Amino acid sequence: AQSVTQLDSQVPVFEEAPVELRCNYSSSVSVYLFWYVQYPNQGLQLLLKYLSGSTLVESINGFEAEFNKSQTSFHLRKPSVHISDTAEYFCAVTWMDSSYKLIFGSGTRLLVRP
Amino acid sequence: DAGVTQSPTHLIKTRGQHVTLRCSPISGHKSVSWYQQVLGQGPQFIFQYYEKEERGRGNFPDRFSARQFPNYSSELNVNALLLGDSALYLCASSLLDKNYGYTFGSGTRLTVV
């Protein structure tokens, strides 16, 4: 079955420290990969995506993620976090045999402390 | 340009009642998808509509139904509400039927009491 795993339900980190949020998916069949961010009482905002090409993708606010096909992973990283990065982060995958839908992980709450 | 708009933003219903949630996609987007997000979990796929046709359905009971109108807006209907239907319902739109990066609305928070 197709599934997305985010092993860390919560990641506490101090401001200006680096962070990595982990994401693994169940199959190496052709996929599109996404990270969404959700602030309290809001919908989902697309942070970055991998469709094809370079395996390293970047967002405008300093996050990056790397597609690793052999490890079926798409971990999210930021070298220096800010208080404003505190939010819930969801990894999501679209498999090409069901390209109309996203399957989400359970989310990781990033808590940035001063 | 307006993003994906959903209405209402919040509502409270009683068990057994019926509810209709509405979604207007980004102008020019022909695909609308619905997701259910229970508190503390990731969103779960309910439906996708493209060009007014159902293209996919998630693992939800027949109490859940949807449709897409000629202007590409969409409604999600849930009959015989259960307490477990309490959730944030998210609508997402995209230009095409395949997912190259959906844009989500802010959601409708449904509470069933």
Side-chain angles (χ1 to χ4, degrees), chain A residues 29-66:
Chain A
V29 173
S30 296
V31 294
Y32 292 156
L33 303 165
F34 307 85
W35 277 97
Y36 283 88
V37 58
Q38 187 174 39
Y39 298 100
N41 300 314
Q42 294 188 23
L44 299 169
Q45 298 176 27
L46 180 63
L47 189 59
L48 47 75
K49 62 183 178 182
Y50 169 80
L51 302 181
S52 64
S54 173
T55 58
L56 183 65
V57 291
E58 298 177 352
S59 71
I60 57 173
N61 57 353
F63 283 94
E64 64 179 30
E66 187 164 16

Side-chain angles (χ1 to χ4, degrees), chain A residues 32 34 36 38 41-46 49 51 88 90 93-94 96 99-107, chain B residues 33 35 37 40-43 45 48 55-57 88 90 97-107 109:
Chain A
Y32 292 156
F34 307 85
Y36 283 88
Q38 187 174 39
N41 300 314
Q42 294 188 23
L44 299 169
Q45 298 176 27
L46 180 63
K49 62 183 178 182
L51 302 181
E88 190 86 17
F90 291 95
V93 180
T94 288
M96 290 302 99
S99 61
Y100 51 86
K101 69 178 179 181
L102 278 166
I103 294 180
F104 284 85
S106 55
Chain B
S33 300
Y35 288 77
Q37 185 180 18
Q41 298 181 18
F45 171 75
Q48 192 221 29
R55 290 300 187 93
R57 182 186 181 112
L88 180 67
L90 296 163
D97 56 340
K98 293 183 179 180
N99 174 29
Y100 297 121
Y102 288 135
T103 300
F104 283 83
S106 297
R109 172 75 63 187

